[in-house]
Amino acid sequence: MAVDTPAPAPSLRPEVPPAVDLGPATALSCRECGTRFPLGPSFACLECFGPLEIAYDYAGHDAEELRKRIEAGPASIWRYAPLLPVPADVADKPNLNPGWTPLVKADNLGRELGFTAQLHIKDDSGNPTHSFKDRVVACAIEAARAFDFTTLSCSSTGNLAGAVGAAAARAGFKSCVFIPHDLEQGKVVMAGVYGGELVGIDGNYDDVNRFCSELIGDPAGEGWGFVNVNLRPYYGEGSKTLAFEICEQLGWRLPEQIVIPIASGSQLTKIDKGLQELIKLGLVEDRPYRIFGAQAEGCSPVSAAFKAGRDVIKPVKPDTIAKSLAIGNPADGPYVLDIARRTGGAVEDVTDAQVVEAIKLLARTEGIFAETAGGVTVGVLKKLVETGQLDPSKETVAINTGDGLKTLDAVADSGMTAVIRPTLESFRAAGLVSA
């Protein structure tokens, strides 16, 4: 059975057989016009400048056999290697082996928010560099190997820089990553500790991304694989593994509702793609599901477009503590709108104060310390319930994409409740007896 992006029109150029081994991946296909290109380090269609995606040939798969093969695989994203643009022996190569993170039954949080159905937190803070970015980099690095790149690079709001630095170190690549100069110190240190080049750009993420696009076309960038630019089609496929894991961890069924943070929007669109592929392969039963996007108010161009009923995303200048989501001109924004509307979901935003409140709420109720992006997701989840946009009587998954230790400044007012002398008298005087 084939699961694919739309087929090209008959008049368009024929598909060229791939010259590299990337498993079931057969070509690059334009998301807009369907034109196909051979597998290579490309990200934009030469016909219409639309974004390129991976096209696959899944022919010959039996659903039950495939399910058993996945379940017998490693406890990482490589259990899904038959569904990804990676060689069959990917698990034997030097990489960080991310994925298979917990799907936490968030009963305490659910009760507090008024859920009568099961609420889950997909907690991706347990990945090797403590964010979901390890998933996407793991797929991108296999493409970098296939295309003989020597240096891994990226434009990053923080988490991706750390993921690229760590993956490059493990796999024996050089690395040079670019970040806005004013990121949280925890993310700067984590990105720099792996020994690669870490370059701050005087500007926001959109400035960083523009610079990297220019560097790709310059001799100075020769031999460089930019995981989220010229390797973007392969990189994006790593986010599908969140969808695969959620469904497998639910006993091979679709969740009824999912809440996903939005930066570029790629994670949300690829989760939807992953769900659709599972349906077409017969690995899960087809049933309705709703997808909700979460943004911070200080960088909410997709939310603003959704609420206004627009199809066009108006770029903004980010101003939020959720710096990992601070992309003012999100590339996949229009596709996020399509998915939210198609599935009956929504895109919502919360203030920075609500982000902080949500970080503490998740920590207090479930013992999960999320970074600011996770605070956005939980804050939006709460708001969606309160405004009646999300149904608390339906099974729901909210995604926490990173670890709160990276964004400590957001909750710097948390700390010791008392300082006492080492005596029982001082303990009692502090009013802690009934604590």
Side-chain angles (χ1 to χ4, degrees), residues 417-418 427-428 430-435:
T417 55
F427 174 73
R428 293 189 179 98
L432 299 172
V433 176
S434 60

Side-chain angles (χ1 to χ4, degrees), residues 34-322:
T35 304
R36 291 193 174 197
F37 303 90
L39 295 172
S42 304
F43 62 97
C45 176
L46 297 179
E47 301 289 341
C48 72
F49 303 106
L52 297 179
E53 291 191 318
I54 308 296
Y56 295 95
D57 179 9
Y58 292 148
H61 279 311
D62 174 80
E64 191 57 35
E65 290 181 3
L66 180 56
R67 188 182 293 113
K68 290 178 180 178
R69 179 179 174 184
I70 290 170
E71 291 172 347
S76 71
I77 66 172
W78 304 133
R79 66 198 290 115
Y80 308 109
L83 308 179
L84 296 171
V86 296
D89 63 348
V90 62
D92 299 326
K93 297 177 182 292
N95 63 71
L96 297 179
N97 300 314
W100 203 240
T101 55
L103 184 68
V104 179
K105 288 186 175 181
D107 295 336
N108 297 328
L109 178 61
R111 278 193 296 270
E112 186 139 340
L113 297 184
F115 274 82
T116 55
Q118 185 65 60
L119 173 65
H120 304 266
I121 300 295
K122 179 59 172 171
D123 186 12
D124 242 25
S125 65
N127 276 309
T129 68
H130 307 287
S131 91
F132 91 95
K133 291 295 188 180
D134 291 320
R135 297 175 182 269
V136 291
V137 171
C139 288
I141 205 168
E142 293 309 311
R145 283 191 177 110
F147 304 138
D148 295 325
F149 287 124
T150 57
T151 300
L152 284 186
S153 187
C154 69
S155 52
S156 173
T157 56
N159 283 324
L160 181 57
V164 168
R170 176 70 62 85
F173 283 82
K174 297 177 182 178
S175 69
C176 182
V177 300
F178 301 89
I179 59 175
H181 71 288
D182 59 351
L183 285 185
E184 302 96 335
Q185 187 62 18
K187 290 180 180 176
V188 173
V189 171
M190 188 166 190
V193 74
Y194 300 110
E197 301 290 344
L198 178 64
V199 182
I201 299 291
D202 185 9
N204 60 30
Y205 173 81
D206 296 294
D207 298 318
V208 178
N209 199 42
R210 279 192 295 271
F211 169 76
C212 287
S213 297
E214 292 178 12
L215 184 55
I216 288 173
D218 190 272
E222 183 71 25
W224 288 32
F226 289 79
V227 299
N228 57 341
V229 189
N230 59 352
L231 295 177
R232 188 174 183 83
Y234 312 90
Y235 159 96
E237 294 295 280
S239 287
K240 293 193 312 185
T241 61
L242 277 163
F244 298 161
E245 286 181 22
I246 289 169
C247 290
E248 184 179 355
Q249 290 167 331
L250 288 175
W252 292 107
R253 73 172 190 272
L254 297 168
E256 294 177 284
Q257 301 175 138
I258 313 178
V259 185
I260 306 168
I262 297 170
S264 71
S266 176
Q267 183 187 67
L268 187 150
T269 61
K270 292 305 186 291
I271 286 176
D272 178 65
K273 185 183 182 193
L275 297 177
Q276 289 295 310
E277 289 180 358
L278 293 181
I279 292 168
K280 292 173 184 175
L281 284 164
L283 292 174
V284 297
E285 181 182 351
D286 189 4
R287 67 174 187 178
Y289 61 85
R290 303 170 72 198
I291 291 185
F292 298 85
Q295 292 202 291
E297 186 180 272
C299 185
S300 54
V302 186
S303 175
F306 181 86
K307 293 175 182 179
R310 291 187 278 105
D311 296 326
V312 177
I313 307 296
K314 182 179 178 181
V316 300
K317 184 176 181 179
D319 182 17
T320 173
I321 61 171

